[in-house]
Amino acid sequence: MHVVILGDSNTWIGGDDCDKPRGWNKWFADVFQPLSCKSYARSGATWTNTIQTRKNPDEDIAVLGNDNVIYNQIERLLAACDQGIQPTPQLIIIAAGTNDAWFVKKRPRVFAKSADQAFADKRPMTMRKPSQVLTLAESVRYGCELLAQRFPQAQIILLTPLQAVQATTANLKKASDIIEQCGRKMGLGVVRQDRECCVRRADEMKSKRYTTDGAHASEEGARINGTYLAKRISELLHQSN
């Protein structure tokens, strides 16, 4: 399969070509053996847009920003496909949510709507501007609808954020629940990294092993996590087929 990965810093540190060992995506690619594997992730990215968010796929910053959102990673992917430098993806993995849970003051409407509320309006969201999509639940729906519209044959799998020292347990669970619920409503595969993967907030607060700073994976953490995700995602694809 041709694989594309969107996400935040834990994917970004694996490099655009998914070849750097501190990124889970490098180890995922080693095990999954895709035809191609490209990352469009950026450090600091959130799912959630702001009222200033605009189409800005060329911005390349590694910190939180109004345009550093999954929406613009999707726009970069679309542009790369249009230019013929990216094969049409058959599997799209989105690993984000940590920064939504961490920087809630910068995303004040992040939890303002539940998944049920975000899906109450049955009209497609794809005609909206990103600045009109201000909650986590709506942003997840918006991004996935944009991808499904352009790549109707692609499988989309959502990864909830890993546990992290910097974000509260309550906010991480809230973000993960919303992402999972949105995924279920759209019939997408979801991996609850906060429950299934090796990083445990309480353990990392005592001694860093699977992260370097409580949020970003160490090489060991990335290897264990990426290997697990390759097997778990393979299972989800098998089940969906």
Side-chain angles (χ1 to χ4, degrees):
M1 304 179 82
H2 292 292
V3 179
V4 160
I5 306 176
L6 313 179
D8 54 30
S9 53
N10 266 316
T11 304
W12 175 77
I13 57 179
D16 290 354
D17 294 322
C18 305
D19 57 358
K20 294 181 171 53
R22 279 200 51 217
W24 67 270
N25 43 329
K26 179 257 194 280
W27 305 99
F28 164 84
D30 284 355
V31 175
F32 194 79
Q33 291 290 294
L35 288 172
S36 66
C37 193
K38 189 74 172 179
S39 168
Y40 290 84
R42 286 291 178 265
S43 181
T46 60
W47 268 111
T48 311
N49 304 319
T50 77
I51 58 173
Q52 279 86 38
T53 299
R54 61 187 177 89
K55 183 177 177 179
N56 186 10
D58 296 325
E59 180 184 72
D60 189 3
I61 61 174
V63 294
L64 197 76
N66 292 315
D67 296 337
N68 190 4
V69 292
I70 295 297
Y71 162 77
N72 273 316
Q73 293 180 30
I74 293 170
E75 290 294 337
R76 288 177 56 230
L77 166 62
L78 299 183
C81 288
D82 288 341
Q83 294 162 20
I85 59 177
Q86 167 65 56
T88 299
Q90 295 159 302
L91 173 61
I92 302 170
I93 303 169
I94 312 176
T98 300
N99 296 317
D100 302 79
W102 186 351
F103 298 104
V104 290
K105 291 183 179 179
K106 297 290 186 179
R107 300 289 186 267
R109 291 186 54 79
V110 58
F111 298 131
K113 285 190 178 182
S114 66
D116 286 341
Q117 291 169 325
F119 283 82
D121 186 342
K122 302 303 181 184
R123 293 172 296 181
M125 296 187 71
T126 51
M127 299 305 293
R128 297 188 191 183
K129 297 178 180 179
S131 57
Q132 298 171 313
V133 184
L134 302 177
T135 69
L136 173 59
E138 289 173 313
S139 297
V140 173
R141 179 186 171 189
Y142 183 59
C144 291
E145 286 187 358
L146 287 170
L147 289 167
Q149 179 176 278
R150 176 63 183 269
F151 308 113
Q153 302 304 315
Q155 301 259 23
I156 301 172
I157 292 180
L158 307 181
L159 310 185
T160 70
L162 292 163
Q163 293 185 27
V165 169
Q166 290 81 352
T168 67
T169 300
N171 281 347
L172 272 169
K173 182 180 184 303
K174 194 179 295 185
S176 296
D177 286 347
I178 288 173
I179 293 167
E180 179 181 26
Q181 290 158 10
C182 288
R184 301 300 182 210
K185 285 181 177 293
M186 291 182 284
L188 308 180
V190 179
V191 180
R192 284 292 298 246
Q193 289 197 103
D194 57 316
R195 294 176 181 165
E196 301 178 36
C197 295
C198 61
V199 176
R200 291 288 174 264
R201 184 176 190 271
D203 294 338
E204 296 297 316
M205 289 179 75
K206 297 174 186 175
S207 177
K208 305 296 184 292
R209 179 181 178 187
Y210 297 124
T211 71
T212 58
D213 58 2
H216 301 97
S218 63
E219 185 171 330
E220 183 179 10
R223 177 182 59 79
I224 292 172
N225 206 40
T227 301
Y228 173 78
L229 289 171
K231 296 175 181 177
R232 184 76 168 83
I233 289 170
S234 295
E235 291 171 358
L236 288 173
L237 294 174
H238 178 73
Q239 291 167 7
S240 67
N241 289 331

